Amino acid sequence: MFESLNIEQRIDKAEFGAAEPELREQLIESQLSFLEAEQAPIIVILSGMDVIGRSECGKQLLSWLDSRHVRPFATILPGEEGLERPRMWRFWDALPRDGRMGLFLNSWYEGPFTDYILGRIDREQYRARIDEAVRFERMLAHEGALILKFMLFLSEDQTLQALKKFKRKRMGAWKVSRHEMEISKEFANRFDESLEILEELVSATSTHYAPWIPVASTDARYRDLTVGQTISEAMQRRLDAAGPIDPVPVDTNSAGMSDLHTNILDSLDLSQTLSQKEYKRELKKEQKRLTKLTLSKKFEQHSVVAVFEGNDAAGKGGSIRRVVQALDPRLYRVIPIAAPSDEDRAHGYLWRFWRHLPRQGHVTIFDRSWYGRVLVERVEGFSPEADWTRAYEEIRSFESELTDYGVIVVKFWLAIDQQEQLQRFQEREKTGYKRYKITEEDWRNREKWDDYARAVHDMVDRTGTSEAPWTLVEASDKYFARVKVLKTINDRLESELD
Amino acid sequence: MFESLNIEQRIDKAEFGAAEPELREQLIESQLSFLEAEQAPIIVILSGMDVIGRSECGKQLLSWLDSRHVRPFATILPGEEGLERPRMWRFWDALPRDGRMGLFLNSWYEGPFTDYILGRIDREQYRARIDEAVRFERMLAHEGALILKFMLFLSEDQTLQALKKFKRKRMGAWKVSRHEMEISKEFANRFDESLEILEELVSATSTHYAPWIPVASTDARYRDLTVGQTISEAMQRRLDAAGPIDPVPVDTNSAGMSDLHTNILDSLDLSQTLSQKEYKRELKKEQKRLTKLTLSKKFEQHSVVAVFEGNDAAGKGGSIRRVVQALDPRLYRVIPIAAPSDEDRAHGYLWRFWRHLPRQGHVTIFDRSWYGRVLVERVEGFSPEADWTRAYEEIRSFESELTDYGVIVVKFWLAIDQQEQLQRFQEREKTGYKRYKITEEDWRNREKWDDYARAVHDMVDRTGTSEAPWTLVEASDKYFARVKVLKTINDRLESELD
């Protein structure tokens, strides 16, 4: 779920200087409007280790905001008062009034996470405490609270570096407790394992009314501006929100404002190609591998769900053909997903996908999928915001029910750029038998390129999990794309069947 | 949570005969309206063992309804198709279309419950599967489904009897699988333990949009009429519901229609008294006991939250005084709860109660409490339906966070009858120093006696748990009431400190 964090996100001093005054003004204006409306509190959680800048970020926020109306909460361990009362007491006690902001540098997540990482509680206790957190937020959200949860983040190398650097300047301006340092070291030393637990935590507790927003913390300017702008934007949206939807969904771009951050799609190197000779050789090799893997004894206990999404004309069909060529026709089905039928519409939106799930030993390929809800339905406004924002958590649940059962879920986004798409559209219009492939709708979608790109970014960020990861496929060169798709499926199968 | 099931609920043949035709007509009318609207499916779950009449009840329902628009689901174990797909597949497959009804005689609960009771899965797996069920229902509810979950129920003796009787007529008209019999026997043999697990399950999965409705199954006529009328009433309410509340709350009287079932308050014997001599002796004894218990070493790790609710003029104040007389004044606080202050209103509704939670070794007595939301706020319409229906689950969570931490939660409903209340009101108006105690509001509340009685019944049924049970106190005789209160607190303390 932290895919987008591997993109280098930086903002230079000049850009920061230009954006800061406007942001401050917006924040203070939103604060005043909230105070006047007095309808709901704002709950902001800043999570992530101090060594990667949680306190710094909190300080920056406080300097921007009108701090008279912000209630910061930063005590890591419960005090005497809190220790003698049920766990959640100190958080209730720290809740801001309606119209005001609570800024939680430590929240109801740190305790369970730390205790679990350090082996002080077992998995069942951990789950129970996470449930407690979810119920707490649900109650707050039902009563109107705007809840924003930021997860500051660095890669493994960067975390280790930050930890080293931090030790050196430890005697500096602000205090980090021994407890905090201990956790940070533990986290860094067992990075992969910790990350997995964190991903599970974020996945289980990111809801449409209280989403987690992962923020790359490499660059302090990017980090602070992203957090600040996301808060400001969400407050503004809430003030504008009409109607009694309960709880109110929170729409935020995963990585903050679109004009500041790099879209995950922009980080792709679309110039990658394969020669025809290489293609033929690799295709043959990977198809043979796939045949072998799907006919193996071990596969009888598994099944594959493969999802193909991508830009129009990115070559989904061609890739799917190269996959099924390697499969026993009795064992696979390709399900093309168009607009829902009457029958589909008369059921819940996931119903038509559940129906087509493969039996053990089988493969189902979805040519477009349930992701329509957070792509076309979001961008075109076919689904109300409450529905598509909720879909991320519903999709994560759905896919984890599949993977729990042993279904191997592979998801592809086939990416081309605007120029390449234009050429393919024009080419299709010229070629008789391909003309049916290009419609008015394709041209219309093209006009909303940036909206779709944002939707793809959020989709990958919010639904890419270690069990059901997204693979972004550079598809300007069809040969390259097809081989990457096959190879990805094979690698996943190999590791899952192992 | 099954307090009301201990009341003898019976309907005689004549009453049944009188009610049946109208019910059938209503049900079929509601079905047609749902079909026309085509906006949402109806999901009805009938849970509870076959030996106590699940199948019988299902048959009766099917005979009343227009069965062309009902999709029954009764397979206990997944078939070959289902076994080879993720667990929830067969339930997705069984979902009815919008406007139609799915009647689940086996649902997503039987599997986890059975597997857990029989020791096939551990507690963590069990919790995960219950989570899966909750997420499933939440998704359905968000998409508009009307979900009603009936839990058929008998006492231990009755269950054992039914099992015996059932064995004799086993060769009769309908088939009960060996699997089903095995579970039933296991349940009956370990009744208390099973009941506890069931209570936890109902508590964790009863939501405002998909509530459990426990139904006493002693009398088949009562059982079937209650289930039928509850369905009919809920369908009618849903058709009348306006506005886009999401998900739509479901309000049902726990035990079905108010004119059919006996209110739990009606089962109290209000004629119980104590002589003054007995009172003095008992009071002294129980007060001594309380002093000793609260000063004991073991109590330092615990605390008490005592909730006093009751009819106006039922004598809450007097009972509270007799309790605190026995306590060290430094260790207790009495919190009278009136209408919320501005400060209270600016926070979530449970906030003001969290604030007053006792530290370890202390006692907090709430004179009226968080139950205001499901009593006065419900009856007077101060809270929207979405809020007070949700409050039952929020209160259960709240109290279980307390008891998890070691807080001993005791809850009293002091009950008098209408006649007794009238006398006390008149008496208070005559007595100068008591006159302030009686207000216009008290007289107004009196007019809504039946609405309050229904609200109390539902409250006890939905929030009485084995960890935080309700004690109904027959309060026509003050002596009797005071001693019962003290004795209850002492007994609880004794068993919890043990």
Side-chain angles (χ1 to χ4, degrees):
Chain A
M1 302 195 61
F2 307 115
E3 275 80 357
S4 67
L5 301 179
N6 297 321
I7 309 165
E8 181 84 355
Q9 305 273 19
R10 284 203 181 279
I11 284 172
D12 64 29
K13 218 168 166 175
E15 208 180 339
F16 185 83
E20 197 186 15
E22 199 188 331
L23 172 60
R24 289 191 65 165
E25 202 175 310
Q26 279 171 354
L27 278 172
I28 289 190
E29 220 169 87
S30 305
Q31 274 191 289
L32 288 176
S33 308
F34 256 79
L35 273 174
E36 258 167 49
E38 269 216 346
Q39 285 191 340
I42 308 133
I43 312 278
V44 173
I45 294 181
L46 277 188
S47 225
M49 294 167 275
D50 255 349
V51 298
I52 65 175
R54 176 178 53 179
S55 299
E56 275 182 326
C57 182
K59 264 193 199 171
Q60 179 63 276
L61 279 178
L62 280 170
S63 82
W64 284 336
L65 292 156
D66 184 340
S67 59
R68 290 170 302 172
H69 311 306
V70 181
R71 201 171 159 189
F73 179 89
T75 42
I76 299 172
L77 299 173
E80 198 206 346
E81 281 271 295
L83 273 176
E84 295 205 350
R85 292 191 174 85
R87 273 190 302 270
M88 296 302 287
W89 179 83
R90 61 198 191 108
F91 300 116
W92 278 94
D93 191 53
L95 287 179
R97 285 179 64 120
D98 287 351
R100 287 161 178 77
M101 183 185 292
L103 180 59
F104 289 86
L105 270 75
N106 266 287
S107 72
W108 32 97
Y109 291 105
E110 271 72 15
F113 183 75
T114 307
D115 286 349
Y116 186 53
I117 284 269
L118 297 182
R120 291 184 197 140
I121 53 175
D122 66 20
R123 203 171 154 74
E124 195 207 319
Q125 291 169 307
Y126 176 62
R127 281 186 76 116
R129 287 180 60 183
I130 295 302
D131 278 356
E132 196 172 86
V134 170
R135 284 196 308 262
F136 180 55
E137 289 176 4
R138 186 156 57 222
M139 201 182 315
L140 296 177
H142 270 301
E143 306 211 1
L146 169 61
I147 306 174
L148 297 165
K149 305 184 288 194
F150 295 96
M151 180 65 79
L152 306 187
F153 224 80
L154 289 181
S155 68
E156 179 166 10
D157 287 351
Q158 289 167 335
T159 305
L160 290 169
Q161 261 174 32
L163 206 60
K164 249 188 224 162
K165 213 171 109 192
F166 200 78
K167 271 188 198 159
R168 282 200 306 272
K169 68 169 180 178
R170 205 177 158 176
M171 310 300 290
W174 80 87
K175 222 175 105 183
V176 171
S177 68
R178 272 182 52 189
H179 175 84
E180 175 74 15
M181 282 305 285
E182 194 190 323
I183 303 295
S184 301
K185 274 186 233 161
E186 194 70 23
F187 189 97
N189 290 339
R190 294 154 57 195
F191 194 83
D192 286 344
E193 190 196 340
S194 305
L195 194 64
E196 212 170 287
I197 298 170
L198 200 61
E199 185 194 276
E200 190 198 40
L201 175 73
V202 167
S203 177
T205 60
S206 202
T207 55
H208 62 293
Y209 51 81
W212 277 106
I213 304 138
V215 179
S217 278
T218 335
D219 178 54
R221 283 188 290 261
Y222 170 80
R223 177 194 67 207
D224 297 347
L225 220 48
T226 299
V227 171
Q229 292 199 343
T230 305
I231 293 174
S232 166
E233 199 191 35
M235 286 175 74
Q236 215 48 60
R237 288 175 63 88
R238 176 61 59 94
L239 288 164
D240 298 342
I245 303 170
D246 178 22
V248 186
V250 177
D251 170 29
T252 59
N253 195 323
S254 296
M257 307 292 281
S258 44
D259 55 336
L260 284 180
H261 84 281
T262 309
N263 192 297
I264 197 166
L265 293 170
D266 296 337
S267 66
L268 297 178
D269 175 8
L270 296 179
S271 69
Q272 296 176 88
T273 57
L274 275 190
S275 71
Q276 196 178 24
K277 201 174 144 194
E278 285 170 313
Y279 170 64
K280 283 193 174 162
R281 195 187 55 221
E282 290 293 311
L283 184 71
K284 207 170 164 187
K285 187 181 111 193
E286 295 296 341
Q287 287 186 331
K288 262 195 188 162
R289 232 179 119 201
L290 182 57
T291 306
K292 211 176 145 195
L293 283 163
T294 51
L295 293 179
S296 72
K297 190 81 191 150
K298 277 182 184 165
F299 187 64
E300 289 171 16
Q301 304 298 318
H302 290 268
S303 57
V304 169
V305 164
V307 169
F308 284 82
E309 297 280 357
N311 298 113
D312 289 326
K316 288 191 297 293
S319 290
I320 291 171
R321 268 197 302 285
R322 290 349 177 258
V323 172
V324 300
Q325 280 168 0
L327 299 174
D328 177 338
R330 289 164 303 181
L331 299 187
Y332 79 83
R333 285 177 68 195
V334 178
I335 312 290
I337 297 298
S341 70
D342 283 358
E343 179 73 6
D344 296 336
R345 251 188 268 270
H347 288 89
Y349 98 97
L350 282 177
W351 176 80
R352 59 176 172 152
F353 308 109
W354 271 96
R355 295 183 70 193
H356 293 302
L357 290 184
R359 301 177 63 146
Q360 287 183 332
H362 290 236
V363 174
T364 300
I365 293 173
F366 289 94
D367 184 353
R368 303 202 187 274
S369 67
W370 43 95
Y371 284 100
R373 180 150 278 207
V374 296
L375 295 171
V376 58
E377 293 185 33
R378 167 183 175 175
V379 172
E380 305 292 341
F382 298 155
S383 280
E385 187 176 336
D387 285 346
W388 67 257
T389 51
R390 204 180 55 240
Y392 297 107
E393 60 207 81
E394 291 172 347
I395 288 172
R396 286 195 304 267
S397 292
F398 171 46
E399 292 179 357
S400 94
E401 285 177 38
L402 304 191
T403 55
D404 275 0
Y405 183 76
V407 181
I408 300 163
V409 179
V410 284
K411 307 185 290 197
F412 297 103
W413 176 265
L414 271 62
I416 52 177
D417 61 25
Q418 270 182 295
Q419 184 51 35
E420 177 68 28
Q421 189 184 53
L422 184 64
Q423 277 172 21
R424 292 190 186 181
F425 276 16
Q426 287 164 346
E427 199 178 298
R428 285 183 178 184
E429 288 197 322
K430 272 184 273 171
T431 317
Y433 72 94
K434 279 188 176 171
R435 203 174 297 150
Y436 77 95
K437 278 183 149 185
I438 195 93
T439 65
E440 272 302 309
E441 203 187 321
D442 293 322
W443 288 104
R444 269 204 309 280
N445 290 348
R446 212 180 125 69
E447 280 167 28
K448 298 194 174 158
W449 188 273
D450 289 340
D451 294 337
Y452 275 100
R454 181 184 156 168
V456 172
H457 180 98
D458 288 348
M459 169 184 82
V460 171
D461 227 35
R462 295 176 192 173
T463 63
T465 60
S466 50
E467 299 156 334
W470 276 102
T471 303
L472 304 178
V473 181
E474 301 82 352
S476 290
D477 180 69
K478 289 182 177 180
Y479 293 163
F480 180 86
R482 291 168 188 170
V483 169
K484 181 165 179 177
V485 163
L486 271 160
K487 201 172 168 322
T488 303
I489 296 177
N490 287 332
D491 289 351
R492 274 295 299 290
L493 274 169
E494 220 163 64
S495 82
E496 297 281 346
L497 300 185
D498 206 20
Chain B
M1 300 196 60
F2 308 115
E3 274 81 357
S4 67
L5 300 179
N6 296 321
I7 309 167
E8 181 85 354
Q9 305 273 18
R10 285 204 180 278
I11 285 173
D12 64 30
K13 219 168 166 176
E15 207 181 343
F16 185 84
E20 198 185 14
E22 198 189 332
L23 173 59
R24 288 191 66 165
E25 201 176 309
Q26 278 171 355
L27 277 171
I28 289 189
E29 220 169 87
S30 304
Q31 273 190 292
L32 287 176
S33 308
F34 255 78
L35 273 174
E36 257 169 47
E38 268 218 346
Q39 284 191 340
I42 307 134
I43 313 277
V44 173
I45 294 181
L46 277 188
S47 226
M49 294 168 276
D50 255 349
V51 295
I52 64 176
R54 177 177 53 180
S55 299
E56 275 183 328
C57 181
K59 265 192 195 167
Q60 179 64 275
L61 279 178
L62 281 169
S63 84
W64 285 335
L65 292 156
D66 183 340
S67 59
R68 290 170 302 172
H69 312 305
V70 180
R71 202 172 158 188
F73 180 90
T75 43
I76 298 172
L77 298 173
E80 197 204 349
E81 281 271 298
L83 273 175
E84 294 204 353
R85 292 191 173 86
R87 273 190 302 269
M88 296 301 288
W89 180 83
R90 63 197 190 109
F91 300 115
W92 278 92
D93 192 54
L95 287 179
R97 286 180 62 122
D98 286 350
R100 286 161 178 77
M101 184 186 290
L103 180 60
F104 290 85
L105 270 74
N106 266 287
S107 73
W108 32 98
Y109 291 106
E110 270 73 15
F113 183 75
T114 307
D115 286 350
Y116 186 53
I117 284 268
L118 298 181
R120 291 183 195 141
I121 53 175
D122 66 21
R123 200 169 158 76
E124 196 204 320
Q125 291 169 306
Y126 174 62
R127 283 187 75 115
R129 287 179 63 184
I130 295 302
D131 278 355
E132 198 172 87
V134 169
R135 284 196 308 264
F136 181 56
E137 289 176 3
R138 186 156 57 223
M139 201 180 317
L140 297 177
H142 270 301
E143 306 210 2
L146 169 60
I147 307 173
L148 297 166
K149 306 184 289 195
F150 295 95
M151 178 67 76
L152 306 188
F153 224 81
L154 289 182
S155 68
E156 180 166 9
D157 286 351
Q158 291 167 335
T159 304
L160 289 169
Q161 259 174 33
L163 206 61
K164 250 188 227 161
K165 211 170 109 191
F166 200 79
K167 270 189 199 158
R168 281 200 305 273
K169 67 170 181 180
R170 206 175 158 177
M171 308 300 288
W174 80 88
K175 220 175 108 183
V176 171
S177 68
R178 270 184 53 190
H179 175 84
E180 175 74 16
M181 282 304 285
E182 194 189 321
I183 303 295
S184 301
K185 274 186 234 159
E186 194 69 24
F187 190 95
N189 290 338
R190 293 155 57 198
F191 194 82
D192 286 343
E193 190 196 342
S194 305
L195 194 64
E196 211 170 290
I197 298 169
L198 199 62
E199 185 195 276
E200 190 198 40
L201 175 74
V202 167
S203 176
T205 61
S206 200
T207 55
H208 61 292
Y209 51 81
W212 277 106
I213 302 138
V215 179
S217 277
T218 334
D219 177 55
R221 285 188 290 260
Y222 170 80
R223 177 194 66 208
D224 297 347
L225 219 48
T226 298
V227 171
Q229 292 200 343
T230 305
I231 293 173
S232 167
E233 197 192 38
M235 286 175 75
Q236 215 46 59
R237 288 175 62 89
R238 177 60 60 94
L239 288 164
D240 298 341
I245 302 170
D246 178 21
V248 187
V250 177
D251 170 29
T252 59
N253 194 325
S254 296
M257 307 294 281
S258 43
D259 54 335
L260 282 181
H261 83 281
T262 308
N263 191 297
I264 196 165
L265 293 171
D266 297 337
S267 66
L268 296 178
D269 174 7
L270 296 180
S271 68
Q272 296 176 87
T273 55
L274 276 190
S275 71
Q276 197 179 24
K277 200 174 146 194
E278 285 170 313
Y279 170 62
K280 280 193 175 161
R281 194 186 58 222
E282 289 295 311
L283 184 71
K284 206 170 164 187
K285 185 180 112 194
E286 294 298 341
Q287 286 186 331
K288 261 194 190 163
R289 231 177 121 204
L290 182 57
T291 306
K292 209 174 149 199
L293 283 162
T294 51
L295 292 179
S296 73
K297 190 81 194 152
K298 277 182 182 163
F299 186 64
E300 288 171 18
Q301 305 296 318
H302 290 269
S303 56
V304 169
V305 164
V307 170
F308 284 83
E309 298 279 358
N311 298 115
D312 289 325
K316 291 192 294 296
S319 290
I320 292 173
R321 266 197 303 283
R322 290 349 178 256
V323 172
V324 300
Q325 279 169 359
L327 300 174
D328 177 339
R330 288 163 304 182
L331 299 187
Y332 79 83
R333 284 178 69 195
V334 178
I335 312 289
I337 297 297
S341 69
D342 283 358
E343 178 73 7
D344 296 335
R345 251 188 267 272
H347 289 89
Y349 98 95
L350 281 178
W351 178 80
R352 59 176 171 151
F353 308 108
W354 271 95
R355 295 182 70 195
H356 292 304
L357 291 183
R359 302 177 63 148
Q360 288 182 333
H362 290 236
V363 174
T364 300
I365 293 174
F366 288 94
D367 183 354
R368 303 202 186 275
S369 68
W370 43 95
Y371 285 100
R373 181 150 278 207
V374 296
L375 295 171
V376 57
E377 294 185 34
R378 168 183 175 176
V379 173
E380 303 293 340
F382 297 154
S383 281
E385 185 175 339
D387 285 347
W388 68 257
T389 50
R390 205 179 56 240
Y392 298 106
E393 61 208 81
E394 292 173 347
I395 287 173
R396 286 195 303 267
S397 293
F398 170 48
E399 292 179 357
S400 95
E401 284 177 38
L402 303 191
T403 54
D404 276 359
Y405 182 75
V407 181
I408 300 162
V409 179
V410 284
K411 306 185 291 196
F412 297 104
W413 176 266
L414 271 61
I416 51 176
D417 61 24
Q418 270 182 294
Q419 184 53 35
E420 176 68 27
Q421 189 185 53
L422 185 63
Q423 276 170 19
R424 292 190 187 183
F425 275 14
Q426 287 164 344
E427 197 180 304
R428 282 183 180 187
E429 288 194 324
K430 271 184 272 168
T431 318
Y433 72 95
K434 277 187 176 172
R435 203 173 298 149
Y436 78 94
K437 279 182 147 185
I438 195 93
T439 64
E440 271 303 307
E441 206 187 318
D442 294 321
W443 287 104
R444 269 203 309 281
N445 291 348
R446 215 179 123 70
E447 281 167 27
K448 300 193 173 159
W449 186 275
D450 289 342
D451 294 337
Y452 275 100
R454 180 182 157 171
V456 172
H457 180 98
D458 288 349
M459 170 183 83
V460 171
D461 226 34
R462 294 176 193 173
T463 64
T465 60
S466 49
E467 300 156 332
W470 276 103
T471 303
L472 304 178
V473 181
E474 301 83 350
S476 290
D477 180 69
K478 288 183 179 179
Y479 294 161
F480 180 86
R482 291 170 189 169
V483 168
K484 180 164 179 178
V485 164
L486 271 161
K487 199 171 169 326
T488 304
I489 297 177
N490 287 332
D491 289 351
R492 274 296 299 289
L493 273 168
E494 219 162 65
S495 83
E496 296 281 346
L497 299 185
D498 204 21

